[in-house]
Amino acid sequence: MKNNPEILRFRIDGMACGACSARSQKALCKMEHIDSASVSLADGTAQVRPAEGALDNGLDAFVREVTERVDRLGFKASYLPPDVDEHDLWESEQKKTRDDLARRRRHLVTEFVFAVPLVVVAMGSHWGLPLPSWLSPHDSPLIFALFQLLLTLPIVWSGRAFYRHGIPLLLRGAPNMDSLVAMGTGAALLYSLWSTAEIAAAVTPEEAHQAVMGLYYESAGMLIALISLGKYMEAVSRTRTSEAIRGLMELTPERVERMMPDGSVKELSVSSVMPGDRLLIKPGSRIPVDGVVAEGASSLDMSSLTGESMPVDVAAGDEVSAGTLNISGSFVMEARRVGADTALARIIHLVREAQGSKAPIAGLADRISLYFVPAVIAVATAAALAWLFLGDLPFGEALRVFVAVLVVACPCALGLATPMSIMVATGRGAQLGVLMKNGTALEASGHLDTIVFDKTGTLTEGSPRMVSLRTEGMDENEALALAASLEAVSEHPLALAVTKEAGRRGLAARAVEGFLAVGGAGVTGRVDGRELLLGNEKLLSEHGVLLSEEQKTFVTGLADDGQTPLLLASDGKLLAVMGVADPLREETPGVIRELRAMGCRVMMLSGDNERTARAVAARAGIDDVVAGVRPDGKEQVISRLQSEGRRVGMVGDGINDAPALARADVGMAMGSGIDVAMEAGDVVLLRGLPGVKTALGLGRATLANIRLSLFWAFGYNVLLVPVAAGVLLLFGGPAMSPMLAGAAMSLSSVSVVLNALRLRNFR
């Protein structure tokens, strides 16, 4: 679902396991008006891409069609508008999460308050614990049974959600984890009720004692309590995956001061700010919305948004972004983009969208989860019947096998393995300044073996700078002042490099007479009565200025070093040689070395001539260079590499590199470029080149994390389902208790979540 602005998001409540999300996704994908859909169990959302013409009857009709389809599956869907305020949505979700945890906690307390004495009463005689004679299974079997029933009823009522959700889904032919729990505990409960009735109807003590052996209230009660505990622990762990979003949300202040027309200041909530409002920003406060400085000046800490380590000075007319921190002076800003339109809000939206997406590796788990529950029911039934009729086990023991298999095989861990890792990894990536657009980009980043860089603006700073100056018998500043005076009138890109350097040295431009720009050669003019030439060797030779062999060697050396030589001459003599270049980013050589150490092939593409491109590549530490390529040629280079079996990541500025970014397995857009990334890139590098290494490392760590989770989830079922089915009984070993099965199932889900949370520590 790459680069499609028409992706619609829905919240889906009521999903309990991987089978739920897989079934929901399959049902949505089958709908006539849906092109593709992805349902995430981890954050309970669905991302839907409408088919061509699906919205012709209006968005409301399409949303109604989707929600009704999901509702028929037994879940509850609600539409999340794209322009919804992310802060309000997050606050709403946090409140819902807190309420859900509080509800689970209340139910958990109720269940264990009754489950613990229930187990003590039911198993006390086996453990050597004395029971009063009025409660003894030998002396008072009916009271013994009824007392357990009384303790079980509050537990069943507290865990009624298993039955309320699971049984309707089972009747629809779409069972999920709740269905397994409802079937297992329900079977144990019904058999226990039948045995209680037999005790009450027993004529002799022997008949009553025989019926006591059919009581499994403690299995039903403790199973509900243990599975509820596992789901509670899982929910608590999953709340920690939202820390990245929380950190981004906290960058925006809740209150702001607005300048009124009469000059007074009024405090109001950030959500009330409108474009055009004038806001007072004091030292130590964060910028609430995007806008421009209207009055005053200050320094901003932009590290939270761009990773820029040094404070950035701003003055009237400069743009400021929401989430950045005002360090020094107060200033007045005019709001331009508010609410969901700010760069910070769009970053948050991008992270949330990525967290709800799926990686291709999730497909296997989804397909297995979809068919796993019906298979488990079949295995449980077959195992119970086999032990009952072929293994000569009593009905009660065969029932225990049935319940144990149903419970131990719940595919929760399987369904959580991939989405939990993606949620945590994309959140961690955002904290490190790397925005992944979706799970596919995250997974693909982990497979990359070739990284291709654009040169200008990617490996280099993107703006020419004067990096060398050599004079022939005159003062450096005098030569630079003369050159800057000529270039102040020019519009050539190289002119800015000269005038900037002059400005940095405090040199003022002088009046120019008779200025003339000579295409492809340079400029001429008169300054302080002197006829000046400034340009390349061709310009000078056309005006009779010839260079010595030593001077020619120096000029050639500059070109070989990737610098563009600018020659200043007057009265037939060379006065100075200036070298202008687009300098490498300071971090470039280190990033290239680290990528090589990670086993990646590194290439550079450039539209520059071969000599300049190779000079820059040499300083960066890159041997593989393709020079003189146009934007469409870059795309062809990426295609050629892919045809050789390489998995290619392309890093560029996202404008002229758009075709190559789109063609690559993973396109990485430099800078804050949210707009650009939405168009072409899969990954946004908010903090520049170091983000490439972060993206690759995070992708590889996520894949390893997912594989480990899937290994344990699959291994758990492969190992414990046969044990629950009674394989050990064949060799004289014990049968698995349903209570132990419930505890194991819950712990498996929690272990998968905790494994995913390890990605929060990725460096």
Side-chain angles (χ1 to χ4, degrees), residues 228-487:
S228 296
L229 174 63
K231 289 174 78 74
Y232 174 75
M233 292 169 61
E234 179 187 307
V236 170
S237 299
R238 283 162 70 173
T239 59
R240 295 165 62 188
T241 62
S242 64
E243 285 191 2
I245 297 290
R246 180 184 294 111
L248 290 170
M249 291 292 183
E250 290 174 352
L251 295 178
T252 306
E254 293 183 4
R255 310 288 294 177
V256 68
E257 293 182 330
R258 184 173 70 182
M259 303 290 294
M260 306 303 290
D262 60 4
S264 62
V265 177
K266 179 182 179 182
E267 187 178 274
L268 71 161
S269 68
V270 171
S271 58
S272 302
V273 175
M274 302 293 289
D277 285 352
R278 292 165 62 86
L279 310 174
L280 177 62
I281 309 298
K282 294 180 178 178
S285 61
R286 290 199 177 271
I287 311 302
V289 296
D290 293 354
V292 295
V293 178
E295 299 174 16
S298 184
S299 294
L300 300 183
D301 177 357
M302 303 184 70
S303 59
S304 57
L305 199 62
T306 66
E308 176 67 47
S309 58
M310 298 298 291
V312 177
D313 294 331
V314 293
D318 289 338
E319 292 190 357
V320 292
S321 298
T324 53
L325 178 66
N326 184 25
I327 299 175
S328 52
S330 296
F331 64 90
V332 176
M333 66 170 287
E334 180 182 318
R336 292 285 175 87
R337 293 182 297 276
V338 303
D341 293 329
T342 66
L344 180 62
R346 296 172 72 186
I347 289 173
I348 293 169
H349 179 76
L350 199 61
V351 175
R352 292 174 65 93
E353 197 171 73
Q355 289 186 333
S357 68
K358 287 190 175 182
I361 197 172
L364 175 63
D366 282 348
R367 288 192 296 273
I368 291 176
S369 293
L370 185 61
Y371 302 106
F372 198 74
V373 175
V376 166
I377 295 173
V379 170
T381 304
L385 292 175
W387 281 113
L388 183 62
F389 294 110
L390 302 178
D392 295 327
L393 276 187
F395 181 82
E397 291 301 310
L399 178 66
R400 286 168 66 88
V401 169
F402 176 75
V403 174
V405 173
L406 285 181
V407 172
V408 83
C410 288
C412 273
L414 206 57
L416 285 171
T418 301
M420 286 303 303
S421 296
I422 289 175
M423 278 190 71
V424 179
T426 50
R428 182 58 182 152
Q431 291 175 325
L432 297 173
V434 176
L435 298 183
M436 299 282 183
K437 286 182 65 177
N438 49 49
T440 301
L442 181 62
E443 180 179 337
S445 296
H447 290 300
L448 296 180
D449 54 29
T450 303
I451 306 297
V452 179
F453 289 94
D454 169 51
K455 179 180 77 70
T456 305
T458 302
L459 294 174
T460 66
E461 293 180 358
S463 58
R465 203 169 73 204
M466 205 180 86
V467 293
S468 62
L469 172 60
R470 173 177 136 166
T471 59
E472 299 284 341
M474 75 180 303
D475 180 70
E476 275 193 4
N477 284 347
E478 176 64 16
L480 182 58
L482 292 174
S485 299
L486 276 177
E487 296 288 35

Side-chain angles (χ1 to χ4, degrees), residues 462-465 487 490-500 566 580:
S463 58
R465 203 169 73 204
E487 296 288 35
S490 173
E491 297 179 352
H492 195 279
L494 295 178
L496 184 61
V498 176
T499 55
K500 264 189 174 181
L566 284 178
V580 176

